[in-house]
Amino acid sequence: MKLEVFIGTHEVGHLHYDDATHLYSFRYSPDWINTPGRSPLSPHLGFEQVQPSLLHSATVKAFFDNLLPEGRALDEAAAVCNVSKSSLLGLLAGMGMETAGALRIGIDLLTPQAEQNIMRQLPHEELSQRIRDRASIPFSVWDQRVRLSIAGYQDKIAVFDSDDGMWSLVDGPKLASTHIIKPEPMHEAMAGLTSNEFFCMKLAASVGLPVAEVSLHHVPEPVLAIRRFDRLRLKDEVRRLPVIDGCQLLNLPPAFKYERPYGDSRDVANIRDGSTFAGLFAALSAAKFPAAEKAALLRWAIFQIIIGNTDAHAKNLTFFTGERWLMLAPAYDLVSTVIYPKLEHSYAMAIGDAFNAENLDAAEWAEFCAATELAPAFVTKEIRALAERAKHSADKTAREVINAGADPAVVEAIVGQTLKESSRLLEMSKNISYMFKHR
Protein backbone atom coordinates (compact mmCIF):
# COMPACT_ATOMS: atom_id res chain seq x y z
CA MET A 1 0.00 0.00 0.00
CA LYS A 2 1.36 3.41 -0.96
CA LEU A 3 -0.07 6.91 -0.61
CA GLU A 4 1.06 10.09 -2.33
CA VAL A 5 1.92 13.05 -0.12
CA PHE A 6 1.64 16.51 -1.69
CA ILE A 7 2.04 20.13 -0.62
CA GLY A 8 0.00 22.16 -3.06
CA THR A 9 0.76 20.72 -6.49
CA HIS A 10 4.26 19.53 -5.46
CA GLU A 11 4.88 15.90 -4.64
CA VAL A 12 6.70 15.60 -1.32
CA GLY A 13 7.01 11.82 -1.26
CA HIS A 14 5.25 8.52 -0.62
CA LEU A 15 3.95 6.87 2.53
CA HIS A 16 4.36 3.08 2.37
CA TYR A 17 3.07 0.14 4.40
CA ASP A 18 4.53 -3.33 3.89
CA ASP A 19 1.94 -5.95 4.83
CA ALA A 20 4.63 -8.64 4.97
CA THR A 21 6.87 -6.90 7.50
CA HIS A 22 4.17 -4.60 8.96
CA LEU A 23 6.62 -1.71 8.66
CA TYR A 24 5.83 1.86 7.63
CA SER A 25 8.24 3.98 5.62
CA PHE A 26 8.34 7.40 4.05
CA ARG A 27 10.42 8.32 1.00
CA TYR A 28 10.86 11.89 -0.21
CA SER A 29 10.52 12.68 -3.89
CA PRO A 30 13.94 13.55 -5.43
CA ASP A 31 12.44 16.78 -6.81
CA TRP A 32 11.36 17.80 -3.31
CA ILE A 33 14.81 17.14 -1.84
CA ASN A 34 16.70 18.83 -4.67
CA THR A 35 14.63 22.02 -4.89
CA PRO A 36 16.26 24.86 -2.89
CA GLY A 37 14.27 26.08 0.09
CA ARG A 38 12.34 22.84 0.67
CA SER A 39 12.27 21.46 4.21
CA PRO A 40 11.62 18.02 5.70
CA LEU A 41 8.22 17.32 7.22
CA SER A 42 9.57 17.28 10.77
CA PRO A 43 12.90 17.24 12.64
CA HIS A 44 12.58 13.45 12.88
CA LEU A 45 11.85 12.78 9.19
CA GLY A 46 14.98 14.20 7.60
CA PHE A 47 16.03 14.02 3.97
CA GLU A 48 18.54 11.24 4.54
CA GLN A 49 17.29 8.02 2.94
CA VAL A 50 17.08 5.33 5.61
CA GLN A 51 16.31 1.65 5.20
CA PRO A 52 13.00 0.36 6.58
CA SER A 53 13.44 -0.52 10.23
CA LEU A 54 11.42 -0.68 13.43
CA LEU A 55 12.72 2.73 14.47
CA HIS A 56 11.96 4.41 11.14
CA SER A 57 8.55 2.72 11.02
CA ALA A 58 7.66 3.98 14.49
CA THR A 59 8.73 7.52 13.57
CA VAL A 60 6.68 7.51 10.37
CA LYS A 61 3.62 6.05 12.06
CA ALA A 62 3.78 8.55 14.93
CA PHE A 63 4.02 11.49 12.52
CA PHE A 64 1.04 10.47 10.36
CA ASP A 65 -1.06 9.15 13.27
CA ASN A 66 -0.97 12.65 14.69
CA LEU A 67 -2.91 13.91 11.64
CA LEU A 68 -5.96 11.81 12.53
CA PRO A 69 -8.93 12.71 14.74
CA GLU A 70 -9.34 11.05 18.12
CA GLY A 71 -12.01 9.29 20.15
CA ARG A 72 -15.54 9.13 18.72
CA ALA A 73 -14.51 11.16 15.67
CA LEU A 74 -11.94 8.51 14.77
CA ASP A 75 -14.49 5.72 15.27
CA GLU A 76 -16.94 7.50 12.97
CA ALA A 77 -14.29 8.17 10.33
CA ALA A 78 -13.25 4.51 10.31
CA ALA A 79 -16.87 3.41 9.86
CA VAL A 80 -17.42 5.80 6.95
CA CYS A 81 -14.12 4.80 5.29
CA ASN A 82 -15.04 1.14 5.92
CA VAL A 83 -11.65 0.39 7.48
CA SER A 84 -10.34 -0.49 10.91
CA LYS A 85 -9.47 2.54 13.01
CA SER A 86 -5.98 1.03 13.31
CA SER A 87 -5.55 1.20 9.51
CA LEU A 88 -3.47 4.35 9.18
CA LEU A 89 -3.17 4.30 5.39
CA GLY A 90 -6.79 3.28 4.94
CA LEU A 91 -7.95 6.25 7.00
CA LEU A 92 -5.62 8.71 5.28
CA ALA A 93 -6.68 7.42 1.86
CA GLY A 94 -10.26 8.32 2.75
CA MET A 95 -9.77 11.61 4.60
CA GLY A 96 -6.23 12.88 3.99
CA MET A 97 -7.08 15.64 1.52
CA GLU A 98 -7.80 18.18 4.29
CA THR A 99 -5.32 17.80 7.15
CA ALA A 100 -3.72 20.16 9.63
CA GLY A 101 -0.92 22.00 7.88
CA ALA A 102 0.07 21.75 4.25
CA LEU A 103 -0.22 18.05 3.45
CA ARG A 104 -2.65 16.49 0.99
CA ILE A 105 -2.55 12.71 1.18
CA GLY A 106 -4.22 10.21 -1.12
CA ILE A 107 -4.03 8.13 -4.28
CA ASP A 108 -3.64 9.46 -7.84
CA LEU A 109 -3.55 13.11 -6.78
CA LEU A 110 -2.44 14.24 -10.25
CA THR A 111 -5.49 12.96 -12.10
CA PRO A 112 -7.79 15.57 -13.73
CA GLN A 113 -10.53 14.77 -11.21
CA ALA A 114 -8.19 15.25 -8.24
CA GLU A 115 -7.00 18.60 -9.62
CA GLN A 116 -10.51 20.08 -9.80
CA ASN A 117 -11.35 22.92 -7.41
CA ILE A 118 -14.89 22.51 -6.10
CA MET A 119 -16.93 24.75 -3.80
CA ARG A 120 -20.44 24.27 -2.50
CA GLN A 121 -22.19 26.58 -0.06
CA LEU A 122 -23.05 25.50 3.47
CA PRO A 123 -26.15 27.49 4.51
CA HIS A 124 -26.70 28.17 8.20
CA GLU A 125 -29.95 26.23 8.01
CA GLU A 126 -28.12 23.08 6.89
CA LEU A 127 -25.44 23.53 9.54
CA SER A 128 -28.09 24.01 12.22
CA GLN A 129 -29.90 20.84 11.15
CA ARG A 130 -26.67 18.83 11.19
CA ILE A 131 -25.85 20.09 14.69
CA ARG A 132 -29.24 18.81 15.86
CA ASP A 133 -28.75 15.49 14.03
CA ARG A 134 -25.34 14.64 15.54
CA ALA A 135 -26.68 11.78 17.62
CA SER A 136 -27.53 9.89 14.41
CA ILE A 137 -25.26 11.45 11.74
CA PRO A 138 -21.53 11.98 12.41
CA PHE A 139 -20.72 15.68 12.25
CA SER A 140 -17.46 15.08 10.38
CA VAL A 141 -19.32 13.36 7.49
CA TRP A 142 -20.71 15.61 4.76
CA ASP A 143 -21.76 14.58 1.26
CA GLN A 144 -21.20 10.91 2.16
CA ARG A 145 -17.53 11.31 3.10
CA VAL A 146 -15.30 12.50 5.91
CA ARG A 147 -14.46 16.11 5.15
CA LEU A 148 -11.32 16.59 7.23
CA SER A 149 -8.59 14.85 9.18
CA ILE A 150 -7.73 17.06 12.14
CA ALA A 151 -6.73 15.86 15.58
CA GLY A 152 -8.98 16.30 18.61
CA TYR A 153 -12.15 14.99 20.22
CA GLN A 154 -14.52 17.91 19.62
CA ASP A 155 -17.01 17.98 16.78
CA LYS A 156 -15.72 20.28 14.05
CA ILE A 157 -15.97 20.96 10.35
CA ALA A 158 -13.55 22.83 8.08
CA VAL A 159 -15.09 25.50 5.85
CA PHE A 160 -14.08 28.19 3.39
CA ASP A 161 -15.20 31.67 4.45
CA SER A 162 -15.95 33.68 1.31
CA ASP A 163 -15.91 37.45 1.04
CA ASP A 164 -19.69 37.67 1.36
CA GLY A 165 -19.65 35.94 4.76
CA MET A 166 -20.96 32.62 3.44
CA TRP A 167 -19.37 29.34 4.50
CA SER A 168 -18.63 26.64 1.92
CA LEU A 169 -17.24 23.13 1.73
CA VAL A 170 -14.33 23.04 -0.69
CA ASP A 171 -12.00 20.59 -2.44
CA GLY A 172 -8.99 20.90 -4.70
CA PRO A 173 -5.26 21.66 -4.77
CA LYS A 174 -5.82 25.43 -4.86
CA LEU A 175 -8.83 25.52 -2.55
CA ALA A 176 -8.76 24.71 1.14
CA SER A 177 -10.71 25.52 4.26
CA THR A 178 -9.95 28.83 5.94
CA HIS A 179 -11.88 28.29 9.18
CA ILE A 180 -12.73 25.55 11.68
CA ILE A 181 -16.33 25.57 12.93
CA LYS A 182 -17.08 24.08 16.38
CA PRO A 183 -20.59 23.63 17.75
CA GLU A 184 -21.41 23.08 21.41
CA PRO A 185 -20.44 19.59 22.65
CA MET A 186 -23.29 17.12 22.92
CA HIS A 187 -22.21 16.17 26.45
CA GLU A 188 -23.93 18.35 29.05
CA ALA A 189 -20.87 18.17 31.31
CA MET A 190 -19.17 20.68 28.98
CA ALA A 191 -22.08 23.02 28.36
CA GLY A 192 -21.10 26.49 27.23
CA LEU A 193 -17.77 25.42 25.71
CA THR A 194 -18.13 27.74 22.72
CA SER A 195 -18.50 30.73 25.07
CA ASN A 196 -15.69 29.37 27.22
CA GLU A 197 -13.22 29.15 24.35
CA PHE A 198 -14.39 32.45 22.88
CA PHE A 199 -13.65 34.27 26.14
CA CYS A 200 -10.32 32.53 26.79
CA MET A 201 -9.08 33.25 23.28
CA LYS A 202 -10.10 36.91 23.52
CA LEU A 203 -8.48 37.21 26.95
CA ALA A 204 -5.27 35.69 25.61
CA ALA A 205 -5.21 38.27 22.83
CA SER A 206 -5.81 41.09 25.31
CA VAL A 207 -2.80 40.07 27.43
CA GLY A 208 -0.54 39.93 24.38
CA LEU A 209 -0.47 36.30 23.34
CA PRO A 210 -0.62 35.58 19.59
CA VAL A 211 -3.91 33.72 19.10
CA ALA A 212 -6.02 32.46 16.23
CA GLU A 213 -8.81 34.85 15.29
CA VAL A 214 -12.18 33.71 16.66
CA SER A 215 -15.80 34.78 16.30
CA LEU A 216 -19.01 33.52 17.87
CA HIS A 217 -22.05 32.89 15.67
CA HIS A 218 -25.59 31.62 16.25
CA VAL A 219 -27.18 29.55 13.46
CA PRO A 220 -29.20 29.71 15.79
CA GLU A 221 -27.14 27.19 17.82
CA PRO A 222 -23.88 28.75 19.04
CA VAL A 223 -20.82 27.88 16.96
CA LEU A 224 -17.28 29.12 17.29
CA ALA A 225 -15.41 29.99 14.08
CA ILE A 226 -11.62 29.87 14.26
CA ARG A 227 -9.54 31.30 11.44
CA ARG A 228 -6.89 28.77 10.40
CA PHE A 229 -3.35 30.04 10.85
CA ASP A 230 -2.10 27.20 8.63
CA ARG A 231 -3.89 28.76 5.65
CA LEU A 232 -2.90 31.85 3.66
CA ARG A 233 -5.70 33.43 1.63
CA LEU A 234 -4.40 34.74 -1.69
CA LYS A 235 -6.21 36.30 -4.64
CA ASP A 236 -6.93 33.10 -6.56
CA GLU A 237 -6.05 30.33 -4.11
CA VAL A 238 -5.67 29.28 -0.49
CA ARG A 239 -2.10 28.30 0.28
CA ARG A 240 -1.54 25.61 2.91
CA LEU A 241 1.28 26.30 5.36
CA PRO A 242 3.41 23.47 6.81
CA VAL A 243 3.05 22.90 10.54
CA ILE A 244 3.60 20.16 13.11
CA ASP A 245 2.08 19.71 16.55
CA GLY A 246 3.88 19.14 19.83
CA CYS A 247 3.74 15.36 19.58
CA GLN A 248 5.23 15.45 16.09
CA LEU A 249 7.93 17.77 17.39
CA LEU A 250 8.76 15.27 20.14
CA ASN A 251 8.39 12.19 17.90
CA LEU A 252 5.61 10.81 20.06
CA PRO A 253 2.32 9.11 19.13
CA PRO A 254 -0.90 10.99 19.91
CA ALA A 255 -1.61 8.92 23.03
CA PHE A 256 1.53 10.47 24.55
CA LYS A 257 0.23 14.03 24.36
CA TYR A 258 -0.05 13.87 28.15
CA GLU A 259 3.01 13.68 30.39
CA ARG A 260 1.48 10.70 32.21
CA PRO A 261 0.28 8.71 29.19
CA TYR A 262 -1.03 5.81 31.29
CA GLY A 263 -3.05 7.99 33.66
CA ASP A 264 -2.62 9.17 37.21
CA SER A 265 -3.76 6.15 39.20
CA ARG A 266 -1.41 4.98 41.95
CA ASP A 267 0.40 2.26 40.02
CA VAL A 268 1.23 4.33 36.92
CA ALA A 269 1.31 7.95 38.08
CA ASN A 270 5.10 7.87 38.33
CA ILE A 271 5.49 6.93 34.65
CA ARG A 272 6.08 10.24 32.87
CA ASP A 273 7.12 9.10 29.41
CA GLY A 274 4.80 11.41 27.50
CA SER A 275 5.08 15.03 26.42
CA THR A 276 6.82 17.33 28.88
CA PHE A 277 7.69 20.98 29.05
CA ALA A 278 11.33 19.98 29.43
CA GLY A 279 11.17 18.06 26.17
CA LEU A 280 9.39 20.85 24.30
CA PHE A 281 11.80 23.55 25.45
CA ALA A 282 14.77 21.35 24.55
CA ALA A 283 13.33 20.69 21.07
CA LEU A 284 13.03 24.44 20.47
CA SER A 285 16.80 24.74 20.67
CA ALA A 286 16.66 23.76 16.99
CA ALA A 287 14.46 26.75 16.09
CA LYS A 288 15.83 29.59 14.00
CA PHE A 289 15.31 31.92 16.96
CA PRO A 290 15.28 29.63 20.01
CA ALA A 291 15.17 32.35 22.68
CA ALA A 292 12.10 33.98 21.15
CA GLU A 293 10.28 30.65 20.71
CA LYS A 294 11.05 29.54 24.26
CA ALA A 295 9.72 32.83 25.59
CA ALA A 296 6.52 32.35 23.58
CA LEU A 297 6.10 28.80 24.88
CA LEU A 298 6.63 29.97 28.47
CA ARG A 299 3.89 32.59 28.11
CA TRP A 300 1.58 29.92 26.67
CA ALA A 301 2.25 27.67 29.68
CA ILE A 302 1.64 30.43 32.21
CA PHE A 303 -1.63 31.44 30.58
CA GLN A 304 -2.99 27.89 30.87
CA ILE A 305 -2.49 28.09 34.64
CA ILE A 306 -4.21 31.48 34.80
CA ILE A 307 -7.40 30.34 33.03
CA GLY A 308 -7.39 26.86 34.58
CA ASN A 309 -6.85 24.85 31.41
CA THR A 310 -5.71 21.49 32.75
CA ASP A 311 -6.04 19.91 29.28
CA ALA A 312 -3.20 21.97 27.76
CA HIS A 313 -1.42 19.02 26.16
CA ALA A 314 1.23 18.79 23.43
CA LYS A 315 -1.27 18.43 20.60
CA ASN A 316 -2.66 21.84 21.53
CA LEU A 317 0.65 23.34 20.44
CA THR A 318 1.52 23.90 16.79
CA PHE A 319 4.79 24.96 15.22
CA PHE A 320 5.41 26.33 11.76
CA THR A 321 8.03 24.43 9.77
CA GLY A 322 9.27 25.19 6.26
CA GLU A 323 10.87 28.63 6.01
CA ARG A 324 9.71 29.53 9.54
CA TRP A 325 11.40 26.52 11.10
CA LEU A 326 9.92 25.73 14.52
CA MET A 327 8.11 28.98 15.09
CA LEU A 328 5.28 28.70 17.62
CA ALA A 329 1.95 29.22 15.89
CA PRO A 330 -0.88 31.30 17.40
CA ALA A 331 -2.63 29.74 20.36
CA TYR A 332 -5.88 27.80 19.96
CA ASP A 333 -8.13 25.46 21.99
CA LEU A 334 -7.80 27.73 25.02
CA VAL A 335 -10.52 26.74 27.50
CA SER A 336 -10.99 26.80 31.25
CA THR A 337 -11.56 23.18 32.18
CA VAL A 338 -11.66 23.76 35.95
CA ILE A 339 -15.10 25.36 35.73
CA TYR A 340 -16.49 21.93 34.82
CA PRO A 341 -16.61 19.89 38.04
CA LYS A 342 -17.12 16.55 36.28
CA LEU A 343 -13.89 16.80 34.25
CA GLU A 344 -10.46 15.58 35.31
CA HIS A 345 -8.41 18.45 36.71
CA SER A 346 -4.86 17.07 36.53
CA TYR A 347 -2.44 19.12 34.45
CA ALA A 348 -1.68 17.56 31.08
CA MET A 349 1.97 18.51 31.59
CA ALA A 350 3.39 19.20 35.04
CA ILE A 351 4.94 22.39 36.33
CA GLY A 352 7.89 20.84 38.13
CA ASP A 353 6.24 17.90 39.86
CA ALA A 354 2.89 19.64 40.30
CA PHE A 355 0.05 18.06 38.36
CA ASN A 356 -2.68 20.24 39.87
CA ALA A 357 -3.25 23.75 41.16
CA GLU A 358 -3.26 22.63 44.79
CA ASN A 359 0.35 21.42 44.55
CA LEU A 360 1.66 24.33 42.49
CA ASP A 361 3.90 26.67 44.44
CA ALA A 362 7.17 28.59 44.10
CA ALA A 363 9.21 25.43 44.67
CA GLU A 364 7.55 23.70 41.73
CA TRP A 365 8.16 26.72 39.50
CA ALA A 366 11.80 26.54 40.57
CA GLU A 367 11.90 22.89 39.49
CA PHE A 368 10.27 23.93 36.21
CA CYS A 369 13.10 26.44 35.68
CA ALA A 370 15.70 23.75 36.30
CA ALA A 371 14.04 21.25 33.95
CA THR A 372 13.57 23.75 31.12
CA GLU A 373 16.89 25.59 31.69
CA LEU A 374 15.08 28.91 31.96
CA ALA A 375 16.40 31.64 34.23
CA PRO A 376 14.22 31.99 37.36
CA ALA A 377 14.31 35.79 37.09
CA PHE A 378 12.96 35.58 33.53
CA VAL A 379 10.19 33.14 34.48
CA THR A 380 9.27 35.34 37.45
CA LYS A 381 9.08 38.42 35.23
CA GLU A 382 6.82 36.68 32.69
CA ILE A 383 4.51 35.29 35.40
CA ARG A 384 4.09 38.74 36.92
CA ALA A 385 3.50 40.45 33.60
CA LEU A 386 0.85 37.97 32.41
CA ALA A 387 -0.91 37.76 35.78
CA GLU A 388 -1.13 41.55 36.06
CA ARG A 389 -2.43 41.88 32.50
CA ALA A 390 -5.00 39.15 33.05
CA LYS A 391 -6.32 40.81 36.21
CA HIS A 392 -6.53 44.13 34.40
CA SER A 393 -8.19 42.73 31.26
CA ALA A 394 -10.61 40.09 32.58
CA ASP A 395 -13.65 42.25 33.31
CA LYS A 396 -13.35 44.32 30.13
CA THR A 397 -12.96 41.22 27.97
CA ALA A 398 -15.93 39.63 29.72
CA ARG A 399 -18.17 42.58 28.84
CA GLU A 400 -17.02 42.46 25.21
CA VAL A 401 -17.68 38.74 24.69
CA ILE A 402 -21.02 38.83 26.53
CA ASN A 403 -22.10 41.67 24.24
CA ALA A 404 -21.04 39.45 21.32
CA GLY A 405 -23.37 36.66 22.48
CA ALA A 406 -21.33 34.61 24.97
CA ASP A 407 -23.03 32.92 27.93
CA PRO A 408 -22.68 35.31 30.92
CA ALA A 409 -22.63 32.53 33.55
CA VAL A 410 -19.80 30.69 31.81
CA VAL A 411 -17.79 33.87 31.30
CA GLU A 412 -18.24 35.03 34.91
CA ALA A 413 -17.04 31.67 36.20
CA ILE A 414 -13.83 31.96 34.16
CA VAL A 415 -13.31 35.55 35.28
CA GLY A 416 -13.43 34.36 38.88
CA GLN A 417 -10.89 31.62 38.12
CA THR A 418 -8.64 34.10 36.31
CA LEU A 419 -8.63 36.67 39.11
CA LYS A 420 -8.03 34.04 41.78
CA GLU A 421 -5.21 32.25 39.97
CA SER A 422 -3.54 35.49 38.84
CA SER A 423 -3.37 36.69 42.43
CA ARG A 424 -1.99 33.35 43.56
CA LEU A 425 0.69 33.38 40.85
CA LEU A 426 1.73 36.91 41.78
CA GLU A 427 2.20 35.82 45.37
CA MET A 428 4.20 32.69 44.62
CA SER A 429 6.36 34.49 42.04
CA LYS A 430 8.02 36.40 44.90
CA ASN A 431 9.86 33.27 46.02
CA ILE A 432 10.79 31.47 42.78
CA SER A 433 14.37 32.73 42.60
CA TYR A 434 14.92 31.99 46.29
CA MET A 435 13.55 28.45 45.96
CA PHE A 436 15.68 27.90 42.86
CA LYS A 437 18.86 28.81 44.76
CA HIS A 438 17.98 26.54 47.66
CA ARG A 439 16.51 23.53 45.85
Side-chain angles (χ1 to χ4, degrees):
M1 178 65 173
K2 180 175 70 173
L3 295 181
E4 299 168 353
V5 178
F6 273 67
I7 292 180
T9 57
H10 303 285
E11 184 180 67
V12 180
H14 291 87
L15 172 63
H16 300 256
Y17 176 72
D18 188 325
D19 59 4
T21 63
H22 302 295
L23 294 179
Y24 296 88
S25 62
F26 182 77
R27 292 289 179 268
Y28 287 98
S29 162
D31 286 344
W32 185 263
I33 295 175
N34 295 327
T35 301
R38 298 280 169 80
S39 301
L41 297 182
S42 86
H44 305 281
L45 287 174
F47 283 155
E48 62 276 6
Q49 297 296 320
V50 299
Q51 295 300 315
S53 66
L54 289 174
L55 181 61
H56 177 68
S57 177
T59 298
V60 171
K61 188 174 189 301
F63 178 87
F64 286 96
D65 267 340
N66 277 297
L67 298 177
L68 297 175
E70 302 167 80
R72 181 173 60 87
L74 179 60
D75 294 337
E76 293 170 347
V80 173
C81 295
N82 199 27
V83 298
S84 165
K85 66 179 181 180
S86 63
S87 175
L88 172 60
L89 271 70
L91 289 164
L92 289 175
M95 55 193 292
M97 298 297 285
E98 183 72 86
T99 68
L103 302 185
R104 293 191 303 128
I105 305 169
I107 298 172
D108 294 333
L109 297 187
L110 289 180
T111 62
Q113 182 178 1
E115 292 183 329
Q116 290 181 351
N117 297 298
I118 302 170
M119 176 186 298
R120 79 104 163 152
Q121 284 194 347
L122 177 59
H124 284 183
E125 295 79 9
E126 181 182 0
L127 177 59
S128 172
Q129 186 63 50
R130 286 299 308 275
I131 291 172
R132 298 194 299 272
D133 289 343
R134 281 179 293 168
S136 56
I137 305 174
F139 193 67
S140 60
V141 179
W142 295 74
D143 304 327
Q144 291 78 52
R145 66 184 182 87
V146 181
R147 298 293 312 196
L148 78 166
S149 179
I150 297 179
Y153 285 87
Q154 284 182 258
D155 286 331
K156 57 179 76 76
I157 185 66
V159 302
F160 176 86
D161 191 351
S162 56
D163 295 331
D164 59 4
M166 291 296 298
W167 292 334
S168 300
L169 303 175
V170 296
D171 296 284
K174 290 192 175 183
L175 273 180
S177 61
T178 59
H179 289 69
I180 301 295
I181 304 298
K182 294 181 180 178
E184 282 284 296
M186 289 194 294
H187 203 300
E188 293 182 357
M190 298 182 70
L193 193 64
T194 52
S195 294
N196 186 329
E197 186 172 349
F198 185 46
F199 171 75
C200 291
M201 294 284 283
K202 290 294 188 180
L203 181 63
S206 72
V207 302
L209 267 65
V211 298
E213 181 184 320
V214 293
S215 54
L216 188 64
H217 303 260
H218 292 81
V219 296
E221 294 80 9
V223 296
L224 189 69
I226 305 101
R227 181 182 294 275
R228 298 189 65 162
F229 49 75
D230 58 347
R231 300 290 186 263
L232 180 62
R233 181 86 174 267
L234 301 175
K235 182 178 180 180
D236 56 353
E237 68 174 305
V238 177
R239 183 174 299 169
R240 306 167 189 234
L241 304 179
V243 299
I244 57 174
D245 66 29
C247 281
Q248 291 169 317
L249 175 61
L250 296 175
N251 195 26
L252 292 172
F256 279 55
K257 64 184 181 181
Y258 298 110
E259 184 166 339
R260 297 195 288 202
Y262 306 107
D264 55 5
S265 61
R266 184 193 63 183
D267 295 334
V268 296
N270 63 325
I271 303 175
R272 298 166 64 173
D273 295 338
S275 303
T276 65
F277 280 118
L280 289 165
F281 278 99
L284 286 179
S285 296
K288 281 188 175 180
F289 303 102
E293 299 313 317
K294 291 180 181 182
L297 178 58
L298 172 63
R299 294 174 193 127
W300 179 90
I302 295 168
F303 188 75
Q304 311 305 321
I305 304 298
I306 290 174
I307 62 173
N309 182 14
T310 57
D311 197 41
H313 51 72
K315 289 188 70 62
N316 281 343
L317 284 163
T318 293
F319 304 86
F320 290 109
T321 55
E323 295 179 358
R324 297 184 282 180
W325 186 253
L326 297 187
M327 176 181 175
L328 185 63
Y332 58 98
D333 281 358
L334 298 178
V335 297
S336 177
T337 58
V338 298
I339 71 166
Y340 299 115
K342 294 184 179 180
L343 296 187
E344 173 59 51
H345 293 156
S346 293
Y347 292 157
M349 296 183 290
I351 302 296
D353 289 321
F355 276 96
N356 54 55
E358 291 73 20
N359 292 329
L360 181 61
D361 56 21
E364 297 300 351
W365 277 110
E367 291 300 324
F368 172 89
C369 294
T372 58
E373 300 183 353
L374 296 175
F378 175 65
V379 173
T380 297
K381 183 189 75 170
E382 292 297 335
I383 289 174
R384 288 176 178 170
L386 274 178
E388 290 285 7
R389 289 180 205 150
K391 290 182 70 174
H392 178 75
S393 302
D395 286 333
K396 180 182 178 183
T397 304
R399 291 192 295 270
E400 291 173 353
V401 300
I402 290 171
N403 288 338
D407 185 324
V410 171
V411 172
E412 289 165 8
I414 307 171
V415 169
Q417 156 66 29
T418 297
L419 297 177
K420 179 188 74 172
E421 201 61 35
S422 294
S423 296
R424 212 167 73 90
L425 283 172
L426 286 169
E427 188 63 31
M428 69 178 70
S429 69
K430 300 174 183 178
N431 298 312
I432 293 175
S433 292
Y434 174 84
M435 297 303 297
F436 183 83
K437 293 177 182 178
H438 296 85
R439 34 182 276 279

